[in-house]
Amino acid sequence: MLNKILVIDDEEKLRSLLVRILKLENFELYQAADCRSALKILEQQSVDVVLCDVKLPDGNGVDLTLTIKQKLPGIEVILLTAYGNIQDGVQAIKNGAFDYIIKGDDNNKIIPLIHRAIEKRSLENRVVVLEAQLEKKYSFEGILGNSKSITEAINLAQKVAPTDATVLLTGETGTGKEVFANAIHQNSSRKNKNFVAINCSAFSHDLLESEMFGHLAGSFTGALKDKKGLFEEANQGTIFLDELGELPIDLQAKLLRVLESGEFMKVGSSKVTKADVRVIAASNRDFKKEIAAGHFREDLYYRLSAFEIHLPPLRERVKDIEQLSLFFLKMFSDKTNKKIHSITKEALHVLKLHNWPGNIRELKNVMERSVILEGSDSVTLRSLPIELQSNALNPSGEDNNTLSAFSMASAEKIHIQKVLNYTSGNKAETARLLNIGLATLYRKMDEYNLST
């Protein structure tokens, strides 16, 4: 697609010359002799760069620049003048012009300038697209599920997002707490500022304090220069404190001070630093038990839990498993260039039976594994982990043929399926490895409803 350039100049000969030269650069050209006709073209065409004379019959190029930038801020404007002066040049830049050059003296600059202006516009367009993708990714619409429990959690998050209230997200590991934290940030007035996340269980005590609040050079061994902490990095934005229950008791007191006053001290400093930060915290711990055991400050818990949102485990969201599974299926199919479009009824039934101790994170991992192993256009039972296969029911959902997980027959079924998977469905090789006859293998496969 050709980049579009609009040349505005009332001198027809000069305008035509510029148009001919720029066409040689493979641009699509438009031309106008005055402000009025130029604005009409801009209303009808998606122009990338405007090359404009300063003196026009019905106006001034410097003023026109301001009008263009107000209506179409993505367009870059380069002004040309026969008689340059500092005042006009300064005002042109203030009005949003990309550059201001003198005709004749700077003719050799025009084409490189246009290319740089196009590059700037292209970069800004990419930023806009990436920001839109980021906003979509972390929007509440991006949180999948229609079950009552997850819908209630989303509704609470949507209500608190526009405020500056501290939020505490609770729930088991893998329930999507960071996804919720991002969505709350992206739907707040702080969305254009930093979102900073830290896992409180990933650092030693001293390193965690330094990461959170920063340090001065020489404050401890290895501190060779001053360092900003994450609270300072998140100023005017949001900080997400994951696994908050792992925060050491003395750092809990420092966090409480930040929440109450917005103040903290860097490691090795006696000077107070201020930061305007919204805090979203998350934990899979039972805080009341932690408080009773003396592991967590009660005053900090009540300060954090002013707005608490509990994220339900996946086993309480069976209704959402199909939607989540298909989402991950598409993600990993696209990533691996495989054309797997569906999940068989039997495999889906097994996914819904599983207890999912690792929640959504575990489901994501299972679907990635299944996509890698699956050789057909649907995820089948055989590509699921063997521990899920042991829960298999017949496709109707009735359990009249279901095997107890403790029965010998169940162990035999699982073992045969393992060997079938190992041999990629080669029945002769499977029978050889199992040390049984081929006819016996076929009978066992029929009896246990096994597939290859």
Side-chain angles (χ1 to χ4, degrees), residues 24-299:
L24 296 175
E25 294 292 317
N26 205 28
F27 295 132
E28 185 174 340
L29 272 298
Y30 299 92
Q31 50 184 309
D34 51 45
C35 297
R36 184 178 178 182
S37 55
L39 290 172
K40 191 171 181 179
I41 291 171
L42 291 173
E43 287 174 3
Q44 298 170 347
Q45 302 294 334
S46 179
V47 171
D48 297 297
V49 177
V50 170
L51 194 61
C52 181
D53 189 15
V54 168
K55 294 191 180 297
L56 296 167
D58 58 349
N60 181 288
V62 176
D63 297 331
L64 180 60
T65 299
L66 182 60
T67 302
I68 292 171
K69 296 299 283 187
Q70 286 174 341
K71 291 183 177 180
L72 301 161
I75 294 177
E76 298 300 335
V77 182
I78 298 171
L79 289 173
L80 302 172
T81 180
Y83 309 99
N85 64 75
I86 294 173
Q87 186 177 351
D88 273 357
V90 170
Q91 191 59 49
I93 300 303
K94 282 184 177 180
N95 287 358
F98 183 78
D99 211 334
Y100 176 92
I101 61 177
I102 299 170
K103 294 178 182 178
D105 294 347
D106 294 328
N107 283 352
N108 59 332
K109 293 183 179 179
I110 292 175
I111 290 174
L113 265 180
I114 289 175
H115 281 291
R116 290 207 300 273
I118 288 171
E119 186 178 347
K120 180 173 182 268
R121 177 165 166 78
S122 176
L123 180 60
E124 287 171 347
N125 287 341
R126 288 201 297 273
V127 169
V128 168
V129 170
L130 288 171
E131 285 178 344
Q133 289 174 347
L134 183 67
E135 194 167 332
K136 183 180 178 182
K137 180 180 178 181
Y138 293 118
S139 69
F140 287 112
E141 290 74 20
I143 299 174
L144 302 179
N146 299 303
S147 60
K148 183 181 178 183
S149 56
I150 197 65
T151 301
E152 287 175 351
I154 292 170
N155 288 339
L156 285 172
Q158 286 175 321
K159 287 177 181 177
V160 77
T163 74
D164 262 348
T166 300
V167 180
L168 177 61
L169 301 169
T170 59
E172 296 177 8
T173 298
T175 50
K177 294 187 283 292
E178 186 163 359
V179 173
F180 264 78
N182 262 299
I184 291 169
H185 172 72
Q186 288 297 328
N187 286 272
S188 74
S189 59
R190 297 172 181 262
K191 69 178 183 179
N192 294 322
K193 301 297 182 179
N194 286 344
F195 175 86
V196 178
I198 182 171
N199 188 319
C200 298
S201 67
F203 299 91
S204 64
H205 176 284
D206 292 338
L207 192 55
L208 180 59
E209 183 176 5
S210 172
E211 286 294 315
M212 289 176 66
F213 304 117
H215 64 251
L216 297 185
S219 56
F220 56 85
T221 304
L224 302 179
K225 58 182 180 180
D226 291 358
K227 177 187 174 181
K228 278 186 177 182
L230 295 182
F231 269 92
E232 201 170 354
E233 294 286 354
N235 189 37
Q236 297 187 320
T238 302
I239 190 167
F240 174 54
L241 303 175
D242 199 7
E243 302 295 347
L244 185 71
E246 307 294 331
L247 192 66
I249 198 80
D250 59 324
L251 293 186
Q252 291 175 27
K254 295 184 178 184
L255 175 59
L256 182 61
R257 182 183 180 185
V258 178
L259 291 172
E260 290 179 340
S261 65
E263 297 178 347
F264 59 90
M265 286 190 291
K266 298 182 179 183
V267 177
S269 174
S270 58
K271 182 181 176 183
V272 169
T273 301
K274 285 184 172 287
D276 171 21
V277 179
R278 182 185 194 172
V279 174
I280 302 176
S283 180
N284 58 6
R285 296 288 189 94
D286 183 329
F287 279 110
K288 292 185 179 178
K289 288 182 179 178
E290 294 296 306
I291 291 167
H295 298 153
F296 203 85
R297 292 179 63 111
E298 189 173 18
D299 49 1

Side-chain angles (χ1 to χ4, degrees), residues 358-427:
N359 294 292
I360 298 171
R361 188 178 295 131
E362 183 185 359
L363 175 60
K364 180 181 178 181
N365 292 341
V366 165
M367 293 311 299
E368 182 176 20
R369 175 188 186 279
S370 295
V371 167
I372 292 169
L373 294 177
E374 188 56 64
S376 68
D377 60 359
S378 294
V379 170
T380 58
L381 184 62
R382 67 184 176 186
S383 65
L384 296 178
I386 199 68
E387 61 270 21
L388 270 69
Q389 293 181 33
S390 66
N391 293 327
L393 296 177
N394 63 51
S396 67
E398 298 170 359
D399 60 1
N400 55 314
N401 292 324
T402 304
L403 299 172
S404 164
F406 299 101
S407 71
M408 285 296 293
S410 177
E412 183 178 54
K413 174 182 176 179
I414 293 168
H415 185 60
I416 292 172
Q417 184 68 66
K418 275 185 178 179
V419 179
L420 281 166
N421 291 347
Y422 176 76
T423 63
S424 301
N426 186 322
K427 297 178 185 63

